[in-house]
Amino acid sequence: MPQTLSPTSMFTPCSFSPHLHTSKEDEQGGLIFQDGNLTSASLDALIQHLIPTTDYYPEARIRKFGPKILQLLTEWTETFPYDFQEERCFHEERIIGHLKDMIHRIAPCDEAYWKKMNQLLQTLNQKLATLSHGQEGIVKINAAVSDKLVAFKSKPPSIQREILSVCSDPYTLAQQLTHVELERLSHIGPEEFVQAFVHKDPLDGTKPCFSDQKTSNLEAYVKWFNRLCYLVATEICMPAKKKQRAQVIEFFIDVARECFNIGNFNSLMAIISGMNMSPVSRLKKTWSKVKTAKFFILEHQMDPTGNFYNYRTALRGAAHRSLTAHSNREKIVIPFFSLLIKDIYFLNEGCANRLPNGHVNFEKFLELAKQVGEFITWKQVECPFEQDANIIHYLHTAPIFTEDGLYLASYESESPENQTEKDRWKSLRSTILGKT
């Protein structure tokens, strides 16, 4: 069914326990090490540990310390470029100004650092320009998308061209859906997951950098999922003849199967959700004309039983294929996004930021970094399929029925079977069509 960002039912992430423990091997000034690796520390001790001392910070030894600062700044600017969009920062201080100040303090000590720092700034500016352009594109797409759902008019409906007149090849439509998915995914930054579920740590007295939660790209992606659900349901309920409706259902089954083969699990789930919406599932006469074996296989793959065990198994298979891939075609992994959000939400809410001794919960944040890191890798894949502007325009702009419109279209196609449906049909005909 269509999704929202409100995680009303959480799913336990596989292979991770919210009950975390540390095994203490050696403690040094509030820092706990295990097998020579830092595994736990209080926030104050961690900060103190990261502050340079006279033993390794003096300018005479900048060659030793400089590369570490350069690596930190490079990873920060590449992974979280949104942090450097000045309009998003809190108070008068500008984070980009702090970055430049740090560069000017370090770069003069070595010509090589100066060149690398300049390259870092150039790369960051390019990323910020790309992000700005991408955000403008999303705004334009959202403006073009028919978010205003249309009511069912009359039989035969003529609100739009049908999908089969725009694209009759399931594989081609699956490819274009993958284009849309990867385009929208590319604009979602890792910080949006943090912003979506952030709660101020009562032990941390610092103020957040951002004046509000910036999750616009993430929310736009969830809206795209919902739109695809309703588009599928609308396309099925629109045709006046049972044979045509069955043909559309079989077409979308084939599209969903191709999405599965590609590794586009988000479109796959949206299509299945659209076909499982009540106005569609109640069309028993239509479904009797459909070869449903392939649909049942797909439903089985996306079955929520066992915390989506079948889907998670397929996702791991796609992820493994991506790691060993020799082409972008084999690298595609587009996860079922709503479940990914719920997993991250559960991990964030189900595990404390601090251990009972007040130390930072390293294991929790390492697991969060692992899940978000996988997402970052997947969203950076370039779509290998040729883009069809006509099909993509249709996916974004074709009008879709409201929920009431879907029910009315469904009742007009196949008469109500009980008194409850008859009463609703009568009410919908009155409110939408103005008929009694």
Side-chain angles (χ1 to χ4, degrees):
M1 299 301 293
Q3 304 293 326
T4 69
L5 277 179
S6 302
T8 55
S9 59
M10 296 298 107
F11 299 90
T12 306
C14 56
S15 71
F16 185 78
S17 170
H19 306 292
L20 301 172
H21 305 278
T22 59
S23 102
K24 177 177 175 183
E25 180 183 272
D26 185 31
E27 183 170 356
Q28 302 174 12
L31 304 174
I32 295 180
F33 293 84
Q34 184 175 357
D35 298 329
N37 297 316
L38 180 62
T39 59
S40 178
S42 66
L43 185 60
D44 289 340
L46 187 59
I47 292 174
Q48 195 64 35
H49 179 64
L50 295 174
I51 294 177
T53 68
T54 54
D55 294 331
Y56 61 93
Y57 182 65
E59 288 189 5
R61 304 190 64 182
I62 193 67
R63 292 181 183 277
K64 176 181 178 181
F65 186 69
K68 297 178 181 179
I69 288 289
L70 179 60
Q71 181 182 2
L72 172 64
L73 294 178
T74 299
E75 292 185 4
W76 185 8
T77 54
E78 287 183 354
T79 307
F80 298 98
Y82 281 103
D83 286 356
F84 298 88
Q85 285 186 307
E86 294 188 2
E87 67 272 12
R88 298 185 63 191
C89 278
F90 197 66
H91 297 314
E92 294 294 327
E93 297 177 344
R94 300 302 189 199
I95 199 167
I96 194 75
H98 291 303
L99 175 64
K100 291 180 179 179
D101 180 63
M102 189 176 299
I103 289 175
H104 285 119
R105 285 174 180 269
I106 297 175
C109 300
D110 190 298
E111 185 177 353
Y113 294 154
W114 181 257
K115 292 180 179 179
K116 290 179 180 178
M117 290 295 189
N118 273 331
Q119 182 60 45
L120 182 149
L121 278 177
Q122 291 177 13
T123 302
L124 176 60
N125 287 331
Q126 291 173 357
K127 281 184 172 290
L128 292 178
T130 300
L131 290 173
S132 178
H133 179 72
Q135 289 171 337
E136 292 174 0
I138 288 293
V139 170
K140 291 179 180 178
I141 288 175
N142 288 339
V145 168
S146 301
D147 283 334
K148 183 179 180 181
L149 308 184
V150 299
F152 178 83
K153 297 298 182 183
S154 61
K155 283 288 187 180
S158 56
I159 63 167
Q160 63 185 65
R161 294 177 296 165
E162 60 178 17
I163 186 65
L164 290 176
S165 69
V166 178
C167 177
S168 60
D169 177 32
Y171 187 52
T172 299
L173 184 57
Q175 290 179 336
Q176 299 311 304
L177 286 170
T178 302
H179 257 294
V180 175
E181 299 280 356
L182 288 174
E183 168 65 19
R184 286 178 171 264
L185 279 180
S186 68
H187 300 301
I188 300 175
E191 74 288 339
E192 293 203 39
F193 293 101
V194 178
Q195 292 294 321
F197 307 126
V198 68
H199 292 288
K200 183 168 174 56
D201 190 334
L203 297 179
D204 185 358
T206 60
K207 294 182 179 179
C209 174
F210 304 133
S211 58
D212 55 8
Q213 293 185 354
K214 297 292 184 178
T215 58
S216 57
N217 295 308
L218 191 150
E219 292 171 356
Y221 192 52
V222 173
K223 288 181 179 179
W224 154 251
F225 180 95
N226 292 341
R227 171 174 171 76
L228 184 53
C229 289
Y230 274 87
L231 178 61
V232 169
T234 298
E235 294 285 348
I236 294 172
C237 291
M238 263 202 315
K241 296 182 179 179
K242 176 173 53 180
K243 181 179 179 181
Q244 293 174 324
R245 294 193 298 272
Q247 183 183 9
V248 175
I249 290 177
E250 291 188 338
F251 173 73
F252 276 117
I253 291 174
D254 289 336
V255 173
R257 183 179 61 177
E258 295 300 341
C259 285
F260 179 85
N261 293 335
I262 289 172
N264 181 357
F265 298 105
N266 200 59
S267 289
L268 165 64
M269 180 56 84
I271 293 171
I272 292 176
S273 297
M275 288 193 286
N276 278 330
M277 291 180 73
S278 295
V280 177
S281 61
R282 68 166 297 277
L283 298 173
K284 296 179 181 179
K285 295 178 181 178
T286 300
W287 281 96
S288 69
K289 300 295 182 181
V290 175
K291 299 176 182 178
T292 55
K294 290 184 290 186
F295 180 64
F296 293 150
I297 292 174
L298 292 172
E299 275 196 316
H300 177 71
Q301 289 292 341
M302 306 304 285
D303 186 353
T305 303
N307 189 21
F308 285 88
Y309 176 81
N310 295 334
Y311 159 70
R312 293 185 189 278
T313 300
L315 180 66
R316 286 196 298 270
H320 177 73
R321 179 187 67 186
S322 180
L323 288 174
T324 59
H326 299 290
S327 67
N328 281 345
R329 166 64 183 81
E330 296 175 322
K331 290 181 181 179
I332 296 173
V333 182
I334 302 174
F336 173 28
F337 196 65
S338 178
L339 186 57
L340 174 65
I341 292 176
K342 289 176 180 177
D343 281 351
I344 294 175
Y345 178 90
F346 181 91
L347 178 57
N348 187 62
E349 294 297 305
C351 306
N353 290 341
R354 308 296 181 96
L355 299 173
N357 63 1
H359 285 194
V360 176
N361 189 342
F362 277 32
E363 189 174 350
K364 168 185 174 175
F365 291 110
L366 285 172
E367 182 64 21
L368 280 172
K370 176 184 176 182
Q371 293 195 18
V372 176
E374 282 185 332
F375 168 79
I376 293 174
T377 300
W378 295 337
K379 82 185 188 77
Q380 291 174 341
V381 174
E382 292 186 11
C383 190
F385 308 123
E386 184 177 352
Q387 188 173 4
D388 189 313
N390 187 42
I391 296 175
I392 289 180
H393 179 74
Y394 183 87
L395 292 171
H396 281 142
T397 61
I400 50 181
F401 286 146
T402 61
E403 185 173 359
D404 283 346
L406 286 173
Y407 271 108
L408 180 56
S410 180
Y411 295 144
E412 293 285 314
S413 297
E414 295 187 18
S415 301
E417 295 183 344
N418 53 54
Q419 191 58 46
T420 300
E421 287 190 344
K422 290 179 181 178
D423 291 341
R424 185 169 190 179
W425 185 25
K426 181 178 179 181
S427 174
L428 291 174
R429 285 177 62 87
S430 175
T431 57
I432 296 177
L433 301 181
K435 298 179 179 180
T436 59

